[in-house]
Amino acid sequence: MAYRFWCGECGFKTPWLAESRGAQRQLEHYLKQHPGIPAGGHVETNRKNPEGGFGFLQVAGIALLLLIIVVSCRR
């Protein structure tokens, strides 16, 4: 899953990253831009384009395509 961290003090947001890397980038932003203020804001998850791997429909489509190829080769 990909995550984007938003600053609670300004309009800064991280790119879509792994959760640990995004949290680190947000903390670095706070230390540089808002020293002395605890990191805040919110986290957005990218459910449409998760990081890594195929979705179920993509795997099912590939499996169906392979099944069609195997069946057509047996004739």
Side-chain angles (χ1 to χ4, degrees):
M1 184 80 56
Y3 299 87
R4 180 162 50 192
F5 287 74
W6 293 74
C7 178
E9 312 303 321
C10 67
F12 172 80
K13 63 185 175 195
T14 66
W16 294 107
L17 299 167
E19 187 174 16
S20 61
R21 185 66 186 124
Q24 180 65 37
R25 293 275 296 266
Q26 183 188 39
L27 182 59
E28 291 168 358
H29 166 76
Y30 264 84
L31 291 172
K32 184 177 179 182
Q33 300 296 325
H34 313 291
I37 299 175
H42 68 277
V43 180
E44 181 180 6
T45 56
N46 188 350
R47 297 179 191 273
K48 292 181 181 177
N49 189 15
E51 193 175 70
F54 285 101
F56 172 76
L57 291 177
Q58 292 167 328
V59 172
I62 291 170
L64 181 62
L65 180 63
L66 290 174
L67 180 63
I68 291 169
I69 292 171
V70 168
V71 169
S72 66
C73 290
R74 290 186 155 207
R75 292 186 178 181

